[in-house]
Amino acid sequence: MIKNRLKELRKSHGYTLDDIENITGIKRGTYSNYENGKTEPKLFVLQHLALFYGVSVPYLQGIEISDKDIVKGFNSCWLDKSNSFSEDSPHTQIDIYLTVYDIDERPVVKNEDDCTDENIKFWKKYFSFVFEKVKEESKSHVFSYQPKKIKSIIINSIVDKLNYLNKSPLGKSFDLVKEELSKLNQNIEDAIRDKNKSYILKNIDEEILILKKFREKI
């Protein structure tokens, strides 16, 4: 959301509302209203602020999710030892995941906004699948920038990963089969649209082969 972005950017740059007025010409009261969500800046104002902060307009609008947004979500999870999201706290879920994968390293997080190079590197190194999931959902316009939503996706992704590890070998094989079939079905849809008969048949044959191999495992 715009109000969150503007407040975060102003604070991260160390600007006061008076500084904003002196530098950009936007009245402190007007900018304050933007931050509080009482009013929204018009497009030309967003363009001006995007240039000022060195970001894109979609970023200000909350449509574009950055790595730092996700890192802040991870930081929030690591500091959260309550059990509001699931049976175990977000902190515990992350700790369990790291333990299961024999990762001894742990992040050093001072606060939610602690986006040091070390923290960014840590979270991206061990949880790249979460970064992909958050960006995938944001690009499909499932949500705009919302810290609580990002935090929820992080926890759900980790829990899903842990649940997958606890599945039987057959269950894991079936998940892989579903993933492969999903890709082939998309290929078939594309081929039908393009009226490519040979490609349709090729993908159907591949689906049959995958199902036969899975049948042999049962």
Side-chain angles (χ1 to χ4, degrees):
M1 296 174 68
I2 294 173
K3 64 178 184 178
N4 293 331
R5 291 294 199 205
L6 293 178
K7 192 168 188 176
E8 286 179 1
L9 285 167
R10 178 176 65 79
K11 288 191 170 184
S12 67
H13 284 76
Y15 294 133
T16 64
L17 288 172
D18 288 329
D19 291 332
I20 295 296
E21 181 172 343
N22 293 331
I23 300 171
T24 68
I26 299 172
K27 298 293 183 183
R28 71 187 315 280
T30 301
Y31 196 94
S32 179
N33 285 337
Y34 294 158
E35 287 189 350
N36 294 325
K38 292 181 179 179
T39 58
E40 287 201 357
K42 293 182 179 179
L43 180 58
F44 75 90
V45 177
L46 283 175
Q47 291 171 334
H48 178 50
L49 289 170
L51 185 63
F52 172 66
Y53 284 121
V55 297
S56 66
V57 171
Y59 179 81
L60 286 181
Q61 293 173 317
I63 299 171
E64 184 180 294
I65 306 298
S66 71
D67 285 347
K68 282 191 176 181
D69 293 328
I70 303 171
V71 168
K72 287 178 182 178
F74 269 111
N75 289 343
S76 178
C77 289
W78 186 249
L79 296 171
D80 187 352
K81 297 186 179 181
S82 68
N83 58 352
S84 56
F85 279 86
S86 60
E87 185 176 341
D88 293 311
S89 71
H91 175 95
T92 301
Q93 294 286 4
I94 292 173
D95 197 53
I96 290 172
Y97 177 86
L98 293 171
T99 301
V100 166
Y101 279 92
D102 294 322
I103 300 168
D104 295 326
E105 188 180 357
R106 293 295 184 273
V108 178
V109 179
K110 297 177 182 177
N111 54 60
E112 186 177 322
D113 296 323
D114 191 3
C115 295
T116 60
D117 290 341
E118 290 77 12
N119 276 341
I120 294 173
K121 183 179 179 180
F122 175 86
W123 294 121
K124 292 189 74 173
K125 179 179 180 181
Y126 298 118
F127 296 92
S128 59
F129 66 96
V130 178
F131 281 79
E132 291 171 5
K133 180 66 174 177
V134 173
K135 291 186 176 183
E136 177 187 323
E137 292 204 14
S138 68
K139 284 181 180 178
S140 61
H141 303 294
V142 174
F143 72 98
S144 57
Y145 173 58
Q146 300 171 43
K148 286 185 178 179
K149 180 64 177 178
I150 291 176
K151 187 174 179 179
S152 177
I153 294 174
I154 289 171
I155 295 305
N156 289 335
S157 297
I158 292 172
V159 170
D160 287 345
K161 197 82 167 179
L162 290 171
N163 288 339
Y164 176 75
L165 288 174
N166 291 327
K167 278 190 174 184
S168 66
L170 189 61
K172 292 179 182 179
S173 293
F174 183 58
D175 282 345
L176 292 173
V177 166
K178 286 194 295 182
E179 187 177 331
E180 291 178 12
L181 290 178
S182 177
K183 292 177 181 177
L184 289 170
N185 283 333
Q186 184 59 57
N187 290 342
I188 291 171
E189 286 183 18
D190 293 340
I192 290 172
R193 186 172 57 251
D194 297 337
K195 298 180 181 180
N196 189 335
K197 184 177 178 180
S198 62
Y199 197 55
I200 293 172
L201 294 174
K202 177 178 179 294
N203 281 276
I204 289 175
D205 288 341
E206 286 186 30
E207 286 192 343
I208 293 171
L209 182 60
I210 288 171
L211 289 171
K212 280 184 177 180
K213 286 182 178 179
F214 179 68
R215 181 189 177 92
E216 292 171 0
K217 295 180 181 179
I218 299 175

